[in-house]
């Protein structure tokens, strides 16, 4: 009663949503990805910096180039998922800031002139956007299988030769297949997580 979001939507996004490890052959379309992005783009980032960049791996050749950098245990599902997305932080996000945060266009030079500062900010804010993206995939009635088990330097060299991006996660996307998930693990209780001062 306290939450205002429709209970069915709560289940779809959180309680019944699971991390999928197998998928059906049903394709995931560009239209679905566009709808997911056009929903989650409204979620907040610092200075509205939006550092997340997404590479959809659709070709067989791209899939092969990616899978070789995945940890052994992540390879079968990354090879067979209907769609795989590489989610990365753009460490040069500040170039877009004057347009994306017009209330304070000086932020680009005042706060983000230094690359190490940008990297730190991009890592946090793009990671937030990874979370929003996963929930967006669920909102489309699909399952996500996020992974960080990979050789990040290898993926960065393979897909981001400009040196301006840092991979954060690789996400398998599709309809859950047979035996798609491991048993549900417990979650920390409110009292284990929340303190009040
Ligand atoms: C950022 C991130 C990285 C993860 N990396 C991997 C991974 O490399 N391989 C894997 O099999 N699962 C990976 N997982 C899946 C988690 O273990 C899974 O989401 C978590 O246990 C919750 O599972 P549930 O949604 O089925 O309850 C990752 C999940 C997240 C969010």
């Amino acid at each position: 009663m306290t939450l205002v979001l429709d209970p069915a939507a709560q289940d779809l996004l959180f309680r019944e949503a699971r991390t999928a490890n197998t998928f059906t052959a049903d394709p995931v379309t560009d239209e679905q990805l566009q709808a997911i992005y056009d929903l989650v783009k409204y979620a907040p980032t610092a200075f509205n910096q939006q550092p997340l960049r997404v590479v959809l791996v659709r070709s067989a050749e791209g899939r092969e180039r990616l899978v070789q950098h995945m940890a052994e245990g992540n390879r079968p599902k990354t090879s067979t998922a209907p769609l795989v997305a590489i989610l990365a932080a753009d460490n040069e996000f500040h170039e877009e800031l004057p347009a994306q945060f017009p209330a304070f266009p000086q932020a680009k030079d005042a706060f983000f002139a230094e690359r190490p500062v940008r990297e730190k900010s991009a890592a946090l804010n793009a990671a937030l956007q990874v979370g929003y993206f996963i929930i967006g995939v669920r909102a489309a009635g699909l399952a996500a299988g996020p992974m960080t088990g990979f050789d990040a330097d290898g993926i960065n060299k393979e897909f981001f030769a400009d040196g301006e991006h840092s991979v954060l996660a690789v996400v398998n996307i599709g309809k859950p297949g047979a035996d798609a998930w491991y048993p549900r693990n417990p979650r920390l209780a409110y009292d284990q997580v929340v303190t009040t001062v």
Side-chain angles (χ1 to χ4, degrees), residues 17-19 21 74 77 134 138 146-149 184-185 187:
R18 300 295 313 277
T19 299
N21 296 293
N74 287 333
K77 54 191 171 191
I134 292 168
R138 293 170 170 188
M147 298 166 290
T148 48
R184 185 70 130 173
N185 284 316
R187 298 303 198 255

Side-chain angles (χ1 to χ4, degrees), residues 46-49 91-95 97 101 104-122 125:
F47 284 108
N48 199 30
Q49 65 188 251
N91 296 307
E92 301 301 305
F93 67 84
H94 66 315
E95 298 295 346
L97 267 194
F101 200 68
F104 185 48
Q106 305 90 316
K108 177 186 173 197
D109 298 316
F111 294 113
F112 297 113
E114 313 276 341
R115 168 87 181 223
V117 175
R118 292 199 300 275
E119 280 182 9
K120 199 170 166 198
S121 190
N125 285 282

Side-chain angles (χ1 to χ4, degrees), residues 1-7 9-11 14-15:
M1 290 303 110
T2 310
L3 301 176
V4 298
L5 187 67
D6 177 69
Q10 295 173 28
D11 288 343
F14 295 102
R15 285 189 210 94

Side-chain angles (χ1 to χ4, degrees), residues 7-8 16 20 38-39 45 53 73 75 82 109 126 130 137 140 145 153 172 176 181 187:
E16 287 177 10
D38 283 338
L39 179 66
T45 53
R53 302 292 179 265
R75 285 183 189 173
D109 298 316
V130 169
V137 167
D153 288 343
N172 294 325
W181 22 78
R187 298 303 198 255

Side-chain angles (χ1 to χ4, degrees), residues 39-191:
L39 179 66
V40 304
K41 70 184 180 186
Y42 291 107
T45 53
F47 284 108
N48 199 30
Q49 65 188 251
Q50 306 164 73
L52 181 71
R53 302 292 179 265
V54 180
V55 177
L56 300 180
V57 183
R58 287 224 178 262
S59 67
E61 176 254 348
R63 189 77 68 114
E64 217 168 280
R65 283 170 56 211
L66 174 62
V67 168
Q68 61 175 333
H69 299 292
M70 301 303 293
E72 199 71 39
N74 287 333
R75 285 183 189 173
K77 54 191 171 191
T78 310
S79 300
T80 52
L83 180 62
V84 185
I86 303 171
L87 305 193
D90 180 359
N91 296 307
E92 301 301 305
F93 67 84
H94 66 315
E95 298 295 346
E96 311 289 342
L97 267 194
Q100 298 301 315
F101 200 68
F104 185 48
Q106 305 90 316
K108 177 186 173 197
D109 298 316
F111 294 113
F112 297 113
E114 313 276 341
R115 168 87 181 223
V117 175
R118 292 199 300 275
E119 280 182 9
K120 199 170 166 198
S121 190
L124 171 63
N125 285 282
L128 283 173
Q129 290 186 286
V130 169
Y132 305 145
F133 183 86
I134 292 168
I135 304 303
V137 167
R138 293 170 170 188
L142 298 168
M147 298 166 290
T148 48
F150 49 66
D151 169 11
D153 288 343
I155 291 182
N156 287 337
K157 285 197 189 93
E158 190 79 40
F159 292 93
F160 305 107
D162 61 9
E164 295 179 354
H165 299 75
S166 306
V167 62
L168 289 171
V170 173
V171 184
N172 294 325
I173 303 168
K175 294 239 180 240
D179 299 321
W181 22 78
Y182 305 124
R184 185 70 130 173
N185 284 316
R187 298 303 198 255
L188 294 173
Y190 181 84
D191 290 344

